[in-house]
Amino acid sequence: MPRLFWDHAGHGEPLVLLHGIGSTHADFTALRPALDDRYAVFAPDLPGQGASPAVTGVPSVAALADAIEADLDDLGLHRVHLVGNSLGGRIALELAARGRALSVVAIAPSGLGLPPERLYEGALLGGTRMVLRSSRRLIEPASRSRWGRTVLLTGLRSMPWRASRPEALALRDGIAGAGDFWRLLWHAVLSDVPTDLRIPDIPVVLAQGTADVLAGGQTPRFRVLIPTARFTPLFGAGHAPQSDRPAAILALVDGAVAAARAAGTRSAPEPLGAVRGAPRGD
């Protein structure tokens, strides 16, 4: 039985969506209708966020990847297509290095920020946590209007008025409500420095919004560790651009999956285990 909360919908090749720190699986709401039509989509709340329990011990990237990997085993999924944003992108690359990926689309993965960039990122995320934590009861009413969602998601989206209510509410259950936020921020984001990402010969796409005000220019630096990866800018998009440029992201996912198919990579069968949470669209 999986330990984490997973939202599941669709049929076909398995696709796992990994959100960033301070959010939940709902951060991918804008992409889900199209992805659910094409793939068997599995979207967890990362450990210590949303409805998922925290890991025991230090919540490092390796520990978070261990938790995802254990649940993939319970679900009967050996190798999957991975899409991750921010911390989720970093975890996706870690899982790929462990041989669990068919393809990877990593959007603004964390881990290669310079010291001043890490200080800025920590201050921005920490300050946002304190503000939203103190006004958590206001997030739900604010999520009902376009103006409220714009206020809540400015800094993460370049076009926050396009975001849906579930995307805004993800902040309530993620950055405002996550009991393990500070440990995750320190151990999984600010202290994390990937040094060994020997990823098998699979399609790896690195993407970052050109209007990303949180992560600086760290995404292209991953090409030093992953020389076979392809970098694609998402023009006009923010740090978490799922509703800024959904069509562009879908094209990247479909392209990576098609490349994996062309290379003859075999996908896992339909999952064998039970999924916690409320499956959608089945």
Side-chain angles (χ1 to χ4, degrees), residues 141-176:
S143 71
R144 300 175 191 170
S145 71
R146 178 176 294 187
W147 291 109
R149 294 192 293 273
T150 297
V151 171
L152 290 170
L153 289 162
T154 292
L156 292 174
R157 309 282 202 265
S158 65
M159 292 169 272
W161 54 89
R162 291 186 177 181
S164 64
R165 189 173 178 223
E167 292 170 71
L169 288 175
L171 298 176
R172 180 193 62 188
D173 301 324
I175 196 166

mmCIF file of all heavy atoms in Angstrom, residues 141-176:
data_model
loop_
_atom_site.group_PDB
_atom_site.id
_atom_site.type_symbol
_atom_site.label_atom_id
_atom_site.label_comp_id
_atom_site.label_asym_id
_atom_site.label_seq_id
_atom_site.Cartn_x
_atom_site.Cartn_y
_atom_site.Cartn_z
ATOM 1 N N PRO A 141 -10.923 32.107 0.547
ATOM 2 C CA PRO A 141 -11.744 33.131 -0.115
ATOM 3 C C PRO A 141 -11.003 33.851 -1.236
ATOM 4 O O PRO A 141 -11.601 34.206 -2.250
ATOM 5 C CB PRO A 141 -12.133 34.085 1.028
ATOM 6 C CG PRO A 141 -11.222 33.775 2.150
ATOM 7 C CD PRO A 141 -10.823 32.350 2.004
ATOM 8 N N ALA A 142 -9.701 34.067 -1.079
ATOM 9 C CA ALA A 142 -8.931 34.737 -2.136
ATOM 10 C C ALA A 142 -8.877 33.881 -3.395
ATOM 11 O O ALA A 142 -8.842 34.402 -4.523
ATOM 12 C CB ALA A 142 -7.525 35.053 -1.649
ATOM 13 N N SER A 143 -8.873 32.556 -3.228
ATOM 14 C CA SER A 143 -8.763 31.657 -4.382
ATOM 15 C C SER A 143 -9.985 31.701 -5.286
ATOM 16 O O SER A 143 -9.939 31.224 -6.418
ATOM 17 C CB SER A 143 -8.540 30.218 -3.901
ATOM 18 O OG SER A 143 -9.727 29.690 -3.309
ATOM 19 N N ARG A 144 -11.095 32.286 -4.812
ATOM 20 C CA ARG A 144 -12.335 32.289 -5.582
ATOM 21 C C ARG A 144 -12.348 33.339 -6.692
ATOM 22 O O ARG A 144 -13.172 33.266 -7.607
ATOM 23 C CB ARG A 144 -13.523 32.545 -4.646
ATOM 24 C CG ARG A 144 -13.693 31.509 -3.560
ATOM 25 C CD ARG A 144 -14.804 31.921 -2.613
ATOM 26 N NE ARG A 144 -14.856 31.102 -1.414
ATOM 27 C CZ ARG A 144 -15.608 31.367 -0.361
ATOM 28 N NH1 ARG A 144 -16.391 32.448 -0.380
ATOM 29 N NH2 ARG A 144 -15.589 30.576 0.692
ATOM 30 N N SER A 145 -11.453 34.316 -6.623
ATOM 31 C CA SER A 145 -11.458 35.380 -7.624
ATOM 32 C C SER A 145 -10.139 35.423 -8.383
ATOM 33 O O SER A 145 -9.089 34.999 -7.878
ATOM 34 C CB SER A 145 -11.683 36.743 -6.956
ATOM 35 O OG SER A 145 -10.536 37.140 -6.220
ATOM 36 N N ARG A 146 -10.204 35.948 -9.595
ATOM 37 C CA ARG A 146 -8.995 36.085 -10.398
ATOM 38 C C ARG A 146 -7.994 37.009 -9.724
ATOM 39 O O ARG A 146 -6.793 36.755 -9.730
ATOM 40 C CB ARG A 146 -9.357 36.609 -11.793
ATOM 41 C CG ARG A 146 -8.147 36.836 -12.680
ATOM 42 C CD ARG A 146 -8.547 37.254 -14.077
ATOM 43 N NE ARG A 146 -9.252 36.192 -14.784
ATOM 44 C CZ ARG A 146 -9.595 36.266 -16.067
ATOM 45 N NH1 ARG A 146 -9.324 37.354 -16.765
ATOM 46 N NH2 ARG A 146 -10.220 35.274 -16.652
ATOM 47 N N TRP A 147 -8.492 38.082 -9.106
ATOM 48 C CA TRP A 147 -7.588 39.014 -8.439
ATOM 49 C C TRP A 147 -6.924 38.369 -7.239
ATOM 50 O O TRP A 147 -5.727 38.576 -6.986
ATOM 51 C CB TRP A 147 -8.354 40.278 -8.021
ATOM 52 C CG TRP A 147 -8.781 41.116 -9.174
ATOM 53 C CD1 TRP A 147 -10.046 41.296 -9.638
ATOM 54 C CD2 TRP A 147 -7.936 41.873 -10.038
ATOM 55 N NE1 TRP A 147 -10.056 42.113 -10.730
ATOM 56 C CE2 TRP A 147 -8.771 42.491 -11.003
ATOM 57 C CE3 TRP A 147 -6.553 42.091 -10.098
ATOM 58 C CZ2 TRP A 147 -8.271 43.318 -12.009
ATOM 59 C CZ3 TRP A 147 -6.053 42.907 -11.103
ATOM 60 C CH2 TRP A 147 -6.910 43.503 -12.042
ATOM 61 N N GLY A 148 -7.685 37.582 -6.498
ATOM 62 C CA GLY A 148 -7.110 36.900 -5.344
ATOM 63 C C GLY A 148 -6.047 35.902 -5.753
ATOM 64 O O GLY A 148 -4.983 35.814 -5.122
ATOM 65 N N ARG A 149 -6.310 35.153 -6.817
ATOM 66 C CA ARG A 149 -5.323 34.186 -7.291
ATOM 67 C C ARG A 149 -4.081 34.891 -7.814
ATOM 68 O O ARG A 149 -2.951 34.382 -7.680
ATOM 69 C CB ARG A 149 -5.949 33.295 -8.374
ATOM 70 C CG ARG A 149 -7.068 32.406 -7.841
ATOM 71 C CD ARG A 149 -7.479 31.347 -8.835
ATOM 72 N NE ARG A 149 -8.116 31.878 -10.033
ATOM 73 C CZ ARG A 149 -9.404 32.122 -10.150
ATOM 74 N NH1 ARG A 149 -10.218 31.917 -9.120
ATOM 75 N NH2 ARG A 149 -9.923 32.571 -11.293
ATOM 76 N N THR A 150 -4.273 36.065 -8.405
ATOM 77 C CA THR A 150 -3.128 36.838 -8.889
ATOM 78 C C THR A 150 -2.223 37.236 -7.735
ATOM 79 O O THR A 150 -0.990 37.110 -7.813
ATOM 80 C CB THR A 150 -3.607 38.093 -9.641
ATOM 81 O OG1 THR A 150 -4.355 37.688 -10.788
ATOM 82 C CG2 THR A 150 -2.425 38.945 -10.079
ATOM 83 N N VAL A 151 -2.823 37.693 -6.642
ATOM 84 C CA VAL A 151 -2.034 38.068 -5.464
ATOM 85 C C VAL A 151 -1.305 36.854 -4.898
ATOM 86 O O VAL A 151 -0.118 36.917 -4.569
ATOM 87 C CB VAL A 151 -2.945 38.716 -4.396
ATOM 88 C CG1 VAL A 151 -2.187 38.900 -3.084
ATOM 89 C CG2 VAL A 151 -3.482 40.046 -4.893
ATOM 90 N N LEU A 152 -1.999 35.738 -4.788
ATOM 91 C CA LEU A 152 -1.411 34.558 -4.164
ATOM 92 C C LEU A 152 -0.263 33.970 -4.972
ATOM 93 O O LEU A 152 0.734 33.502 -4.407
ATOM 94 C CB LEU A 152 -2.497 33.484 -3.967
ATOM 95 C CG LEU A 152 -3.555 33.772 -2.902
ATOM 96 C CD1 LEU A 152 -4.680 32.741 -2.990
ATOM 97 C CD2 LEU A 152 -2.933 33.760 -1.514
ATOM 98 N N LEU A 153 -0.383 33.971 -6.292
ATOM 99 C CA LEU A 153 0.571 33.238 -7.130
ATOM 100 C C LEU A 153 1.591 34.123 -7.830
ATOM 101 O O LEU A 153 2.444 33.608 -8.566
ATOM 102 C CB LEU A 153 -0.191 32.402 -8.161
ATOM 103 C CG LEU A 153 -0.930 31.199 -7.563
ATOM 104 C CD1 LEU A 153 -1.997 30.676 -8.506
ATOM 105 C CD2 LEU A 153 0.053 30.101 -7.208
ATOM 106 N N THR A 154 1.549 35.427 -7.605
ATOM 107 C CA THR A 154 2.582 36.296 -8.159
ATOM 108 C C THR A 154 3.929 35.912 -7.565
ATOM 109 O O THR A 154 4.067 35.730 -6.366
ATOM 110 C CB THR A 154 2.266 37.774 -7.845
ATOM 111 O OG1 THR A 154 1.101 38.156 -8.582
ATOM 112 C CG2 THR A 154 3.422 38.676 -8.245
ATOM 113 N N GLY A 155 4.918 35.772 -8.424
ATOM 114 C CA GLY A 155 6.230 35.315 -7.999
ATOM 115 C C GLY A 155 6.495 33.883 -8.423
ATOM 116 O O GLY A 155 7.639 33.513 -8.695
ATOM 117 N N LEU A 156 5.430 33.072 -8.502
ATOM 118 C CA LEU A 156 5.551 31.707 -8.995
ATOM 119 C C LEU A 156 5.120 31.604 -10.451
ATOM 120 O O LEU A 156 5.751 30.912 -11.249
ATOM 121 C CB LEU A 156 4.707 30.760 -8.139
ATOM 122 C CG LEU A 156 5.171 30.545 -6.706
ATOM 123 C CD1 LEU A 156 4.155 29.705 -5.948
ATOM 124 C CD2 LEU A 156 6.538 29.879 -6.673
ATOM 125 N N ARG A 157 4.028 32.275 -10.793
ATOM 126 C CA ARG A 157 3.542 32.329 -12.172
ATOM 127 C C ARG A 157 3.842 33.718 -12.736
ATOM 128 O O ARG A 157 3.791 34.714 -12.012
ATOM 129 C CB ARG A 157 2.027 32.106 -12.223
ATOM 130 C CG ARG A 157 1.512 30.875 -11.490
ATOM 131 C CD ARG A 157 1.748 29.615 -12.287
ATOM 132 N NE ARG A 157 0.849 28.542 -11.893
ATOM 133 C CZ ARG A 157 1.152 27.591 -11.019
ATOM 134 N NH1 ARG A 157 2.324 27.595 -10.404
ATOM 135 N NH2 ARG A 157 0.286 26.617 -10.748
ATOM 136 N N SER A 158 4.131 33.786 -14.016
ATOM 137 C CA SER A 158 4.279 35.096 -14.651
ATOM 138 C C SER A 158 2.920 35.663 -15.036
ATOM 139 O O SER A 158 2.766 36.876 -15.192
ATOM 140 C CB SER A 158 5.174 34.993 -15.890
ATOM 141 O OG SER A 158 4.563 34.180 -16.880
ATOM 142 N N MET A 159 1.932 34.772 -15.188
ATOM 143 C CA MET A 159 0.563 35.172 -15.514
ATOM 144 C C MET A 159 -0.385 34.528 -14.514
ATOM 145 O O MET A 159 -1.175 33.646 -14.849
ATOM 146 C CB MET A 159 0.224 34.764 -16.954
ATOM 147 C CG MET A 159 1.014 35.539 -18.001
ATOM 148 S SD MET A 159 0.871 34.860 -19.680
ATOM 149 C CE MET A 159 2.217 33.660 -19.657
ATOM 150 N N PRO A 160 -0.288 34.933 -13.239
ATOM 151 C CA PRO A 160 -1.049 34.246 -12.182
ATOM 152 C C PRO A 160 -2.551 34.337 -12.349
ATOM 153 O O PRO A 160 -3.285 33.511 -11.793
ATOM 154 C CB PRO A 160 -0.577 34.944 -10.904
ATOM 155 C CG PRO A 160 -0.082 36.281 -11.351
ATOM 156 C CD PRO A 160 0.515 36.049 -12.711
ATOM 157 N N TRP A 161 -3.041 35.324 -13.096
ATOM 158 C CA TRP A 161 -4.492 35.445 -13.309
ATOM 159 C C TRP A 161 -5.044 34.294 -14.138
ATOM 160 O O TRP A 161 -6.245 34.057 -14.155
ATOM 161 C CB TRP A 161 -4.806 36.783 -13.986
ATOM 162 C CG TRP A 161 -4.038 37.003 -15.252
ATOM 163 C CD1 TRP A 161 -4.390 36.633 -16.515
ATOM 164 C CD2 TRP A 161 -2.757 37.641 -15.371
ATOM 165 N NE1 TRP A 161 -3.430 36.989 -17.420
ATOM 166 C CE2 TRP A 161 -2.406 37.629 -16.740
ATOM 167 C CE3 TRP A 161 -1.886 38.232 -14.461
ATOM 168 C CZ2 TRP A 161 -1.213 38.175 -17.217
ATOM 169 C CZ3 TRP A 161 -0.698 38.775 -14.943
ATOM 170 C CH2 TRP A 161 -0.376 38.743 -16.298
ATOM 171 N N ARG A 162 -4.183 33.563 -14.817
ATOM 172 C CA ARG A 162 -4.625 32.399 -15.579
ATOM 173 C C ARG A 162 -4.820 31.163 -14.706
ATOM 174 O O ARG A 162 -5.403 30.168 -15.148
ATOM 175 C CB ARG A 162 -3.600 32.057 -16.669
ATOM 176 C CG ARG A 162 -3.501 33.062 -17.797
ATOM 177 C CD ARG A 162 -2.565 32.514 -18.862
ATOM 178 N NE ARG A 162 -2.474 33.384 -20.018
ATOM 179 C CZ ARG A 162 -1.740 33.123 -21.097
ATOM 180 N NH1 ARG A 162 -1.033 31.998 -21.148
ATOM 181 N NH2 ARG A 162 -1.713 33.964 -22.104
ATOM 182 N N ALA A 163 -4.298 31.194 -13.491
ATOM 183 C CA ALA A 163 -4.319 30.018 -12.626
ATOM 184 C C ALA A 163 -5.736 29.703 -12.166
ATOM 185 O O ALA A 163 -6.596 30.574 -12.059
ATOM 186 C CB ALA A 163 -3.412 30.235 -11.429
ATOM 187 N N SER A 164 -5.966 28.445 -11.854
ATOM 188 C CA SER A 164 -7.267 27.984 -11.368
ATOM 189 C C SER A 164 -7.308 28.021 -9.848
ATOM 190 O O SER A 164 -6.287 28.189 -9.172
ATOM 191 C CB SER A 164 -7.514 26.550 -11.847
ATOM 192 O OG SER A 164 -6.551 25.684 -11.273
ATOM 193 N N ARG A 165 -8.504 27.835 -9.331
ATOM 194 C CA ARG A 165 -8.669 27.826 -7.878
ATOM 195 C C ARG A 165 -7.859 26.702 -7.217
ATOM 196 O O ARG A 165 -7.223 26.936 -6.187
ATOM 197 C CB ARG A 165 -10.155 27.704 -7.545
ATOM 198 C CG ARG A 165 -10.442 27.914 -6.072
ATOM 199 C CD ARG A 165 -11.935 27.968 -5.806
ATOM 200 N NE ARG A 165 -12.195 28.123 -4.394
ATOM 201 C CZ ARG A 165 -13.120 27.456 -3.723
ATOM 202 N NH1 ARG A 165 -13.891 26.596 -4.359
ATOM 203 N NH2 ARG A 165 -13.293 27.657 -2.433
ATOM 204 N N PRO A 166 -7.856 25.461 -7.744
ATOM 205 C CA PRO A 166 -7.040 24.423 -7.097
ATOM 206 C C PRO A 166 -5.559 24.775 -7.028
ATOM 207 O O PRO A 166 -4.880 24.414 -6.063
ATOM 208 C CB PRO A 166 -7.279 23.188 -7.985
ATOM 209 C CG PRO A 166 -8.624 23.413 -8.584
ATOM 210 C CD PRO A 166 -8.705 24.892 -8.816
ATOM 211 N N GLU A 167 -5.040 25.482 -8.041
ATOM 212 C CA GLU A 167 -3.638 25.877 -8.007
ATOM 213 C C GLU A 167 -3.368 26.845 -6.861
ATOM 214 O O GLU A 167 -2.327 26.778 -6.198
ATOM 215 C CB GLU A 167 -3.247 26.508 -9.342
ATOM 216 C CG GLU A 167 -3.243 25.542 -10.509
ATOM 217 C CD GLU A 167 -3.096 26.269 -11.831
ATOM 218 O OE1 GLU A 167 -2.008 26.792 -12.110
ATOM 219 O OE2 GLU A 167 -4.097 26.312 -12.589
ATOM 220 N N ALA A 168 -4.300 27.754 -6.630
ATOM 221 C CA ALA A 168 -4.138 28.694 -5.516
ATOM 222 C C ALA A 168 -4.289 27.988 -4.180
ATOM 223 O O ALA A 168 -3.538 28.248 -3.228
ATOM 224 C CB ALA A 168 -5.150 29.827 -5.641
ATOM 225 N N LEU A 169 -5.249 27.085 -4.073
ATOM 226 C CA LEU A 169 -5.455 26.364 -2.829
ATOM 227 C C LEU A 169 -4.283 25.449 -2.489
ATOM 228 O O LEU A 169 -4.095 25.088 -1.318
ATOM 229 C CB LEU A 169 -6.743 25.543 -2.902
ATOM 230 C CG LEU A 169 -8.045 26.341 -2.858
ATOM 231 C CD1 LEU A 169 -9.242 25.416 -3.057
ATOM 232 C CD2 LEU A 169 -8.164 27.092 -1.547
ATOM 233 N N ALA A 170 -3.501 25.066 -3.503
ATOM 234 C CA ALA A 170 -2.314 24.253 -3.232
ATOM 235 C C ALA A 170 -1.350 24.980 -2.292
ATOM 236 O O ALA A 170 -0.611 24.342 -1.536
ATOM 237 C CB ALA A 170 -1.611 23.898 -4.538
ATOM 238 N N LEU A 171 -1.362 26.312 -2.316
ATOM 239 C CA LEU A 171 -0.518 27.074 -1.399
ATOM 240 C C LEU A 171 -0.983 26.917 0.044
ATOM 241 O O LEU A 171 -0.164 26.911 0.974
ATOM 242 C CB LEU A 171 -0.523 28.554 -1.784
ATOM 243 C CG LEU A 171 0.036 28.918 -3.152
ATOM 244 C CD1 LEU A 171 -0.125 30.409 -3.409
ATOM 245 C CD2 LEU A 171 1.505 28.513 -3.256
ATOM 246 N N ARG A 172 -2.285 26.800 0.239
ATOM 247 C CA ARG A 172 -2.818 26.622 1.595
ATOM 248 C C ARG A 172 -2.339 25.301 2.189
ATOM 249 O O ARG A 172 -1.935 25.234 3.361
ATOM 250 C CB ARG A 172 -4.344 26.648 1.562
ATOM 251 C CG ARG A 172 -5.012 26.466 2.920
ATOM 252 C CD ARG A 172 -6.500 26.191 2.761
ATOM 253 N NE ARG A 172 -6.732 24.949 2.025
ATOM 254 C CZ ARG A 172 -7.933 24.546 1.601
ATOM 255 N NH1 ARG A 172 -9.001 25.308 1.807
ATOM 256 N NH2 ARG A 172 -8.075 23.410 0.959
ATOM 257 N N ASP A 173 -2.360 24.245 1.378
ATOM 258 C CA ASP A 173 -1.989 22.924 1.867
ATOM 259 C C ASP A 173 -0.507 22.634 1.707
ATOM 260 O O ASP A 173 -0.005 21.631 2.213
ATOM 261 C CB ASP A 173 -2.797 21.855 1.123
ATOM 262 C CG ASP A 173 -4.297 22.056 1.301
ATOM 263 O OD1 ASP A 173 -4.702 22.477 2.397
ATOM 264 O OD2 ASP A 173 -5.041 21.805 0.334
ATOM 265 N N GLY A 174 0.194 23.513 0.980
ATOM 266 C CA GLY A 174 1.617 23.338 0.775
ATOM 267 C C GLY A 174 2.428 24.295 1.624
ATOM 268 O O GLY A 174 2.740 24.026 2.779
ATOM 269 N N ILE A 175 2.699 25.476 1.099
ATOM 270 C CA ILE A 175 3.600 26.387 1.798
ATOM 271 C C ILE A 175 3.023 26.887 3.121
ATOM 272 O O ILE A 175 3.746 27.074 4.100
ATOM 273 C CB ILE A 175 3.995 27.567 0.883
ATOM 274 C CG1 ILE A 175 5.222 28.281 1.444
ATOM 275 C CG2 ILE A 175 2.837 28.519 0.662
ATOM 276 C CD1 ILE A 175 5.880 29.228 0.460
ATOM 277 N N ALA A 176 1.711 27.106 3.194
ATOM 278 C CA ALA A 176 1.120 27.605 4.438
ATOM 279 C C ALA A 176 0.874 26.490 5.439
ATOM 280 O O ALA A 176 1.048 26.684 6.642
ATOM 281 C CB ALA A 176 -0.185 28.338 4.146
#
